[in-house]
Amino acid sequence: MIGRTFAHYEISALLGKGGMGEVYRARDQRLHRDVAIKVLPPDVAEDSGRLLRFEREARLLASLQHQNVASIYGLEESEGLHFLVLEL
């Protein structure tokens, strides 16, 4: 994934892995800022229940505003990958 570009986000480093995917550092080419990209693996995205859980996570993050919770900038899909764009 490192070095690839999805939509207008260029992936530069892996930040972590977990049960719902991987989180990468990326550069937003349009707004010229660094962001975190949480990618839902394709095999997980095929499970409609897990995809709905991912989308619920995005809506929940969008409803929160707190200094200890990363802001969400978007819920995206590009080249068959579903991902969240988050404050780094």
Side-chain angles (χ1 to χ4, degrees):
M1 293 282 288
I2 296 170
R4 293 183 65 185
T5 299
F6 296 99
H8 54 275
Y9 303 100
E10 184 180 353
I11 308 298
S12 61
L14 176 66
L15 297 176
K17 293 181 181 184
M20 284 290 286
E22 299 175 335
V23 179
Y24 295 91
R25 180 183 195 107
R27 182 75 177 166
D28 181 334
Q29 302 288 350
R30 287 187 185 159
L31 298 177
H32 306 285
R33 65 179 172 184
D34 290 332
V35 296
I37 302 286
K38 181 176 183 180
V39 179
L40 189 64
D43 60 320
V44 175
E46 291 174 2
D47 179 334
S48 61
R50 292 181 89 183
L51 182 57
L52 286 173
R53 182 174 155 195
F54 191 71
E55 292 171 352
R56 269 195 313 269
E57 177 183 349
R59 286 191 298 276
L60 177 63
L61 285 171
S63 72
L64 298 173
Q65 187 173 10
H66 189 276
Q67 65 185 10
N68 295 330
V69 178
S71 296
I72 185 167
Y73 298 145
L75 172 62
E76 308 283 340
E77 180 184 358
S78 178
E79 299 179 30
L81 288 179
H82 297 268
F83 58 95
L84 302 179
V85 182
L86 304 159
E87 175 183 16
L88 184 62

